[in-house]
Amino acid sequence: QMQLVESGGGLVQAGDSLRLSCAASGRSFDMYAMGWFRQAPGKERQFVAAISFSGASTHYTHSVKGRFTISRDNAKNTVYLQMNNTKPEDTAVYYCAADPGKGISTGAMRYDYWGQGTQVTVSA
């Protein structure tokens, strides 16, 4: 089992920055690719960003490219999502997840472990 705990969510104004963190425990964090997903009210869970187990490769959904950065610190068992130039459409519950497969996946089905989520609200 792996436990994931997100933090860093909150209420910001459009254009502000926010950094989400996800702390992992219980299994070898550096053997897992990690991803961030989000779910807005009434919408399906959406892929946001992912990073390979080593941190060498990243992938983003189009709408956040150039604004969000995913990174990880394997020594701290933590993955981050730096959110810059936030927009009201970024408002959602953000979840981190762990993928035991090789490479990076945008599909939620590939991810075995999920955090409880952290709310991000961006006001106009």
Side-chain angles (χ1 to χ4, degrees):
Q1 287 289 332
M2 176 183 283
Q3 292 76 43
L4 301 173
V5 179
E6 301 96 336
S7 61
L11 172 63
V12 297
Q13 292 187 328
D16 287 351
S17 296
L18 202 62
R19 190 175 82 156
L20 306 183
S21 299
C22 173
S25 62
R27 294 187 76 96
S28 299
F29 176 74
D30 58 2
M31 295 178 64
Y32 287 77
M34 298 296 295
W36 286 96
F37 290 75
R38 65 187 180 188
Q39 188 166 19
K43 295 188 176 181
E44 292 187 354
R45 192 167 295 190
Q46 174 193 28
F47 169 80
V48 176
I51 187 167
S52 61
F53 66 94
S54 67
S57 299
T58 58
H59 183 69
Y60 300 90
T61 193
H62 178 73
S63 62
V64 308
K65 276 183 181 178
R67 299 190 298 120
F68 291 9
T69 302
I70 188 171
S71 62
R72 66 189 297 161
D73 185 337
N74 286 347
K76 295 183 178 179
N77 288 353
T78 302
V79 61
Y80 305 97
L81 186 68
Q82 178 68 41
M83 305 169 62
N84 296 333
N85 189 22
T86 53
K87 302 177 180 181
E89 51 263 43
D90 295 325
T91 295
V93 177
Y94 282 72
Y95 300 89
C96 72
D99 171 14
K102 298 189 183 299
I104 292 177
S105 175
T106 62
M109 295 291 289
R110 274 276 299 269
Y111 291 80
D112 284 355
Y113 302 105
W114 293 81
Q116 82 290 348
T118 186
Q119 176 70 48
V120 172
T121 303
V122 183
S123 63

